[in-house]
Structures are given as structure tokens and as C-alpha cells.
Amino acid sequence: MRTGCSTLKRALIITSDMASGPERTHSLFRLIKERFRPHLRWFVIGTGCAAVTAVAAASYGYLLKLVVEGLEDLAGPQTASVPSSLWWLIGIIGLAAALRSLSLYGMTLANNTGVQRAIVDIQADQFASLTEGDFARLSADRSGGFVSRFINDVNAIRDAGLRLANNLTKGVLTVIGVLITMFIMDWKLTLILLLVYPIAFGPVISLGNRVRKRSKRAQKQIGEVASLLSESFQSARVVKAYGLEEYQKGRAKRGFVERSRLFLKVLTDRAAVDPILEITGGLALVGILALTAWRIADGDTSLGNFVGVIGAVAVAAPEVRALGTLNAVAQEGGAAADRVFEIIDAEPQIKDRADARTLENARGSVEFRDVHFAYPDGSQALKGLSFSASPGETVALVGPSGAGKSTVFNLLLRLYEPVSGSVMVDGSDVRAYTGASLRRSTALVAQEALLFDDTVAANIALGRMGASLEEIKGAARAASAHDFILGLPGGYEAPCGEMGRNLSGGQRQRISLARAIIRQAPILLLDEATSALDAESEAKVQAALAEYAKDRTTLVIAHRLSTVRSADRIIVLDDGRVAEEGTHHDLIREGGLYKQLVELQLS
Ligand SMILES: Nc1ncnc2c1ncn2[C@@H]1O[C@H](COP(=O)(O)OP(=O)(O)OP(=O)(O)O)[C@@H](O)[C@H]1O
């Protein structure tokens, strides 16, 4: 079954990247309102601490001025000992430093807690929306795409949240406080600094923004390299068997080279920051020192004022730099929020109708009535399919690859909806039932025989949550899996490994079958469920299934036609329609497509 759908995928991925400025800002506000506000108390604590930090920081310059003036007095000829007021001042500076570090710690802790809690909510909602949403959406993007969006977007939101929470209040309050004290101490020098500062540090701030953009691109490329590596290691068997080592090495090398190229750009920009700071800072210092020397000589200012102002600048400078890059970080966070909301807000196309009823104690009759269906990319899969299957009946769906067999299961499970016609269970359209109850009445063994990274017992029990070990063993026996499970190290507690990689294809299939059996659902859907079994195991499974399927409706898809010989009815699909229908003997006698397929397999 194909799982690509380029149109949807483009719609999902590209639109989000094109989010414009106002939309981003809107998403950012929405993020704050909906996701951060529930954790407001943490941010209130954080802001309180930020205010304390800012006041302590802003007082630095002024305290420094007073101390320097005290020291100047001390240097005078008539002073014999250090006055207690100076000791007090020095002590207060120490106290301000302690207060600042403590409140800084409290602020970081509180804001981090608030942001992390909001992030957990966002991730959980995003994941829930994807898992509960349309199957079509999940299969529209490669799984790695969603994974990297999860990680990158959440990181961008976390950065923006933390920077806004930590820097905004602290930065703004510190800068205001520092400016006030600077103006009180020496308004002329303060004015000059306000003019010089943007000229000196402007290039650094714009460089900082460029570094951030380039880092982002480099980060994205890390995701691509990670996908490539994981794909490569997962497909190690094919790589070896086809001698693709050189091909893979080439792909990986290109990824590494691109990565180092992007990082080099980031590092080159970063490397320029310090020299620029050095030269502009040095020049500014020279100018200010010369000016101050001239002003002190003129009696226009004092050494205390000068040291106080410079001390205040030193405290405010990092805050100003942080505020300068805040907008860029917030924009990135906004863009990420935009993409996250796009996922969270997506309305499922397939949802329960308001009057949907629960399908309980279903008998399990199935009917397709003139069903037409096309996948979202336009592939016409079913073109007027009609057939039915009754409880107790085993109906096989056979036909050439791409004929629409797996699609029948997709529609029966209501993973997709037909364009026209009806898919019916127990005489009613499947849309009349709640999706959950419909799926509770079906048990699917999919082509991929997918297992989760858990124990064998847990994997079987997923068919019916809360099943007892005895029930698990019973299902395993019915799927002819019990004996081999006992032979595994750990038996039922043996780990299956990621995607079930600790087990063979046939073993995986039998565990998937046991999972379907334990579900005790009235409709059993087997999509190539025994294709990886040897003839003997398959015969055993068939015998066990025959017993199990007695009063259920079983639909079997199989390419190996020996598997379906004994089905009550065989429906031959071709190009999305029923081409023939009957028992194995009827169809052989008729000498149509089925007979051709059988002969092809025998030859
Ligand atoms: N997710 C999908 N998106 C788009 N087209 C799809 C998708 N899945 C299947 N198709 C297309 O629908 C048609 C029917 O596919 P389906 O998987 O039902 O065939 P099948 O008979 O089960 O094939 P096979 O025996 O190879 O598994 C094919 O043309 C296929 O390319």
C-alpha cells in the first residue's frame, strides 16, 4: 500500500513555512494566552525575582559612585581611618550582589518550570492531534518529518518562552533603572553614551541575528543528516546485500560536508563578534576617557560619577544585547507556534457524526455497495466495488497488485471515506457508528506485522487491553505462536525490539495474529497475514483460524493463492472492481482471471 501523498504533504509543510509576520505575532500571543497563562503563577514568581534582580543591578552604578567618592575622600591628606559609612557602602554592594544572584536563580528556576510545563502540554496536544486525527494526514508526511518538526518547533518555542520570560522584564527594568541612575550621576555623559552605543554595538547585534538565522539552517540540516543515518542503519541488510556501501557513503559524506559548510558559516560570523567588540569598545573607551579627563579638569564632573556611569553601563550592556536579539527569537518562536497550532487546530475530516451510535455486539456482516474511492493525491483505487460477506463466512480478496485489496480494509476501518457508495456493517453505513466502536468490532493483521518495542506478552495484549496471561497464551496457541514464544529467551517476557526486529518475519506475523485473535472481534481482517510462514506453519494457523472464524466474518487478502483455496468465497478484484466471484472450483472452472493467476503461480 502506498503511503505518500505529495499534495497534502506540501500543504502541511509549505504553508507553515510561509507564515507571515503578523500571523507569527498572532500565534505568539495565542501561545502565551492559551499555553503559558495556565502556568501564570510560575511566571509571576519569575517576574517578581526579575524585578528584584533589576533593582539590585540598577543600584550598582550609584553605589559604586558613592564608594569611589568615599575612596577619594580617604585619599585626601586629612583622613586618618576608614569611616564606617564606607564600610557600610561596601557591605551594601556585597549584599546587592548576593540579592541579584539569588533572585536570578529564583527567576530562572520559576520561568523554566513554567515554560517546561507549557511545553509538555503543547507536545501532548500536538501528539494527540496527530494520533487522533486523520490517518491520511499521518501518512502524508514521512515519519521523520513529523519527528523533526516536533523537536525543532518545540525547541524554538522553548527558547522564545524562556528568553521572553527571563529577559523581557529583567532587561527592560534593569535598563530603565540604570538609565535613571546614570542621568542622576552625569546626564551629559549618559547622553553621549546613548548616542555612541548604537554605533558601537549595532554591528554586533545584527551579526548576532545573522548567526541565529544561519544556526537555524544548520540545525535543520542536522535533522536531515540524522534521518539519513537512521535510514542507513535500519536498512543495513539491503545495503550489504546490494553492495550499496559506496552509494551510502557518498550520500552520508555529502550530508557531512554540507553540515560542516553551514557550521563554518556560523563560526565565521561568531568569530567576528569578539574582534568587533574589541575595536569598537576600545575606540569608545578612548573617546570617553579623553572627554572625561577634559571634563574633570574643567570641574564639570567627578571621578565618582565617571566610575559610577561606567559601572552602570557594564551592568546594562548584556541586558541591551539580549533585548536586541529578543525580537528575532520571538519571531522564530512565533513561526514555530504557527506550525504547532496548524497541527493542533487541524479538524479531522473523518469524525463521528453528531448522531453516531455505538456498534455493540456486532454480528459482523459486511457490505460494499458501489463504492468509488480515490486517495487524496487523486489515485483512483476503487471504481464501483460491490460485494458482501456474512458472519461465519471467510471471503478472500485476491487480484493483481494495486487492484484495491488493502483499500477495502482501509475503508472498512473508516480510515478513509468513499467518494460515493456505501460501506456497511450490520446493515448500516459505517458512518452511522462511532469510529471507536467500529474499530473495536474489527481485528486487523496488517501486511507489515508491526510490533512495538515491548515484551511479547504486552504486544499480544495490545489487542485487548487488560487481557490476562492465560488469555494471551490462548491467543498465542490459536496463532500457532505459543511453542516458539516459549523457546525465546524470557518466553512471553522476551523483548520484541524496535518494530519487532528481534523476531523473524514469520514470528512477527504469528504474534500479530495472536493480537488480532485476542481481540475477539466479530470482523477479522487478514492482510497477507501468513505470507511469511512456511507451508506447515501456515496449515497449522489455517486450521486454528478455521475454528476461530466459525461465527465471525473473515476477510482474507493473500497473494499466495494456496492460502485462499479453502475460503467460502473468493472475490477477484481488478482495477478497483470485482472481476469474478465464487469458490476456488467455480473460478477455476470459469477459466477467467483467477485461473490465470493460479496458473501463473504454479508455473
Ligand atoms: N496512501 C495512498 N496514497 C495514494 N495512493 C494509494 C495509497 N495507497 C494505495 N494507493 C493506490 O491505490 C491503489 C490500490 O492500492 P491497494 O494498496 O489497495 O492495492 P492492493 O491490491 O492491496 O495492492 P498489493 O497487493 O500490492 O498490496 C493503487 O493504485 C495504489 O497505488
Side-chain angles (χ1 to χ4, degrees), residues 35-51 103-119 121 161-162 164-166 169:
R35 307 287 153 169
F36 288 92
R37 212 162 130 197
H39 307 285
L40 192 65
R41 64 197 171 107
W42 291 106
F43 298 115
V44 169
I45 299 174
T47 308
C49 290
S103 53
L104 208 60
Y105 181 68
M107 178 196 78
T108 315
L109 221 60
N111 286 339
N112 266 304
T113 309
V115 168
Q116 289 303 340
R117 292 190 178 192
I119 292 287
D121 295 348
L162 281 178
L164 281 173
N166 286 338
T169 324

Side-chain angles (χ1 to χ4, degrees), residues 1-4 375 377 379 381 400-407 447 559:
M1 194 172 70
R2 251 176 57 191
T3 51
Y375 281 98
D377 68 349
S379 309
S401 188
K405 304 178 294 291
S406 299
T407 304
Q447 258 177 27
H559 277 120

Side-chain angles (χ1 to χ4, degrees), residues 309-327:
V309 170
I310 296 298
V313 169
V315 168
E319 301 295 343
V320 174
R321 279 175 72 180
L323 285 175
T325 53
L326 201 59
N327 182 44

Side-chain angles (χ1 to χ4, degrees), residues 223-267:
E224 285 161 23
V225 172
S227 289
L228 189 137
L229 291 179
S230 102
E231 182 192 77
S232 175
F233 297 136
Q234 273 181 9
S235 49
R237 190 204 296 250
V238 177
V239 171
K240 290 264 179 237
Y242 281 79
L244 299 177
E245 288 89 345
E246 287 308 315
Y247 167 73
Q248 287 293 75
K249 277 187 330 201
R251 285 177 73 203
K253 180 83 183 282
R254 279 195 293 282
F256 301 148
V257 168
E258 179 62 7
R259 187 182 167 196
S260 88
R261 192 181 69 81
L262 292 176
F263 267 97
L264 216 60
K265 277 187 174 179
V266 175
L267 293 178

Side-chain angles (χ1 to χ4, degrees), residues 121-370:
D121 295 348
I122 293 170
Q123 282 182 312
D125 283 358
Q126 210 181 350
F127 190 77
S129 164
L130 281 171
T131 27
E132 285 168 9
D134 288 334
F135 175 71
R137 182 165 57 140
L138 270 182
S139 53
D141 194 7
R142 67 193 158 91
S143 57
F146 280 121
V147 172
S148 78
R149 284 182 69 183
F150 246 80
I151 294 168
N152 290 337
D153 290 344
V154 163
N155 279 347
I157 291 175
R158 179 183 295 125
D159 277 357
L162 281 178
R163 287 287 310 274
L164 281 173
N166 286 338
N167 290 121
L168 196 59
T169 324
K170 179 165 71 80
V172 171
L173 288 183
T174 306
V175 171
I176 292 175
V178 162
L179 277 178
I180 292 173
T181 51
M182 280 168 70
F183 268 107
I184 292 173
M185 288 185 284
D186 188 340
W187 64 270
K188 283 185 193 158
L189 185 56
T190 306
L191 270 185
I192 292 170
L193 282 174
L194 281 181
L195 288 176
V196 169
Y197 194 87
I199 303 170
F201 294 104
V204 174
I205 291 178
S206 76
L207 206 61
N209 284 337
R210 201 164 82 181
V211 167
R212 189 180 316 284
K213 274 194 199 122
R214 289 190 161 167
S215 311
K216 204 180 159 204
R217 223 172 300 146
Q219 287 295 342
K220 202 168 158 197
Q221 205 264 344
I222 290 184
E224 285 161 23
V225 172
S227 289
L228 189 137
L229 291 179
S230 102
E231 182 192 77
S232 175
F233 297 136
Q234 273 181 9
S235 49
R237 190 204 296 250
V238 177
V239 171
K240 290 264 179 237
Y242 281 79
L244 299 177
E245 288 89 345
E246 287 308 315
Y247 167 73
Q248 287 293 75
K249 277 187 330 201
R251 285 177 73 203
K253 180 83 183 282
R254 279 195 293 282
F256 301 148
V257 168
E258 179 62 7
R259 187 182 167 196
S260 88
R261 192 181 69 81
L262 292 176
F263 267 97
L264 216 60
K265 277 187 174 179
V266 175
L267 293 178
T268 313
D269 281 349
R270 259 191 214 149
V273 170
D274 283 339
I276 291 180
L277 274 180
E278 199 69 35
I279 185 75
T280 49
L283 285 177
L285 194 67
V286 166
I288 288 163
L289 281 176
L291 192 76
T292 309
W294 172 64
R295 287 179 62 215
I296 291 181
D298 246 18
D300 192 22
T301 189
S302 69
L303 182 64
N305 282 340
F306 173 68
V307 174
V309 170
I310 296 298
V313 169
V315 168
E319 301 295 343
V320 174
R321 279 175 72 180
L323 285 175
T325 53
L326 201 59
N327 182 44
V329 182
Q331 287 294 325
E332 276 168 30
D338 210 56
R339 289 189 290 269
V340 165
F341 282 128
E342 195 181 68
I343 289 183
I344 291 178
D345 292 345
E347 270 293 312
Q349 300 293 307
I350 299 179
K351 52 184 170 198
D352 291 345
R353 287 199 319 218
D355 59 348
R357 57 181 200 274
T358 310
L359 176 59
E360 248 163 333
N361 302 322
R363 288 184 308 111
S365 67
V366 169
E367 187 181 352
F368 274 59
R369 252 188 222 168
D370 194 25

